[in-house]
Amino acid sequence: SALAAESSKIRLLVPVQGSATGEAFTKESSPAGSVEKVTPSGYGVHYVASAGWGIGYTSHSYEQEEMQGGGTYIFNWDTTYLDLSYTFGSEITGQIFYGHQLSQSDIEYTWNGIPQNTIEKDSASGSAIGINGGYDFSGFEILLGYRMESAKFKQVGSTRELDFSRSLISAGVGFSF
C-alpha cells in the first residue's frame, strides 16, 4: 500500500512536557487545591511492521505538583500502556495510535516536603490516543509526538473516582530496517 510505512521501524519516545487536563487530588479540600504542573518521565517503545501496523509499550512516571491552602503537595505514580498503531509515509511519516492502560501504581505523596501515607489503589483504568510525526534520514528518524491520556483512579475505602487525565508532548528517535 502507498500509505503504509514501507519499511519496518523501531521507535523510542520520551515525554518532554506534560499538562493536567483532569482534576486535582486536592480538589475537594477547603479551599480547593489546583494543579500547578505535571512532570512526566519514562519511555515508549514501538515496533512498526512494513505494512504500517505496530505495537508498543509505554511506561510513564508522573510528578504532579498542587497548591492548596498555602501548602505544596507533590504526588507521584507510574502507569503502563499497550499501544496499537498505524504508520504511513516514507520520508515524512505519521503515526496514529490507541493505548490501553495495563497498570497504575499506588500514589506516593508529600506535603511541604514531608512524606505522607500512600494512597492505595482500589481500581484504575485508562486509555490514550495520539499522533507521532517523523522525518526519516535514510534509516534514522527524528520524532515528535502528542499523547492524550484519559485515566480514572479509585482509592481504597472511597467511592470517589478521580480523573487523572493529562496531555503529553514527546520527542524521540527511530530506526528503519
Side-chain angles (χ1 to χ4, degrees), residues 5-169:
E6 296 184 5
S7 63
S8 296
K9 302 173 183 298
I10 293 287
R11 294 176 154 187
L12 173 67
L13 289 123
V14 295
V16 293
Q17 182 180 347
S19 61
T21 57
E23 61 192 19
F25 285 97
T26 55
K27 172 187 169 187
E28 293 186 357
S29 301
S30 182
S34 62
V35 177
E36 296 298 309
K37 70 178 181 177
V38 174
T39 306
S41 61
Y43 64 91
V45 176
H46 291 162
Y47 167 75
V48 179
S50 60
W53 298 103
I55 189 165
Y57 177 80
T58 299
S59 176
H60 285 158
S61 295
Y62 304 95
E63 180 179 283
Q64 183 164 301
E65 181 180 321
E66 298 184 12
M67 299 296 289
Q68 187 273 326
T72 302
Y73 288 85
I74 306 286
F75 298 91
N76 294 285
W77 71 95
D78 303 318
T79 61
T80 59
Y81 286 84
L82 174 67
D83 297 333
L84 301 174
S85 66
Y86 185 75
T87 302
F88 49 92
S90 57
E91 185 178 356
I92 297 175
T93 62
Q95 179 182 40
I96 55 174
F97 64 86
Y98 168 81
H100 175 73
Q101 184 174 314
L102 298 173
S103 69
Q104 179 174 330
S105 69
D106 291 339
I107 299 168
E108 305 287 334
Y109 77 104
T110 62
W111 175 73
N112 290 337
I114 301 167
Q116 304 295 309
N117 292 333
T118 299
I119 300 172
E120 294 181 0
K121 172 188 69 173
D122 180 40
S123 65
S125 62
S127 61
I129 58 170
I131 186 166
N132 298 321
Y135 187 81
D136 193 322
F137 295 96
S138 300
F140 174 78
E141 289 183 290
I142 57 170
L143 305 165
L144 184 62
Y146 179 73
R147 180 182 185 95
M148 294 185 308
E149 296 179 348
S150 174
K152 302 287 186 190
F153 179 92
K154 187 175 169 196
Q155 180 180 353
V156 169
S158 173
T159 58
R160 180 177 166 211
E161 189 173 63
L162 296 168
D163 175 4
F164 288 170
S165 299
R166 56 213 162 250
S167 60
L168 305 168
I169 305 248

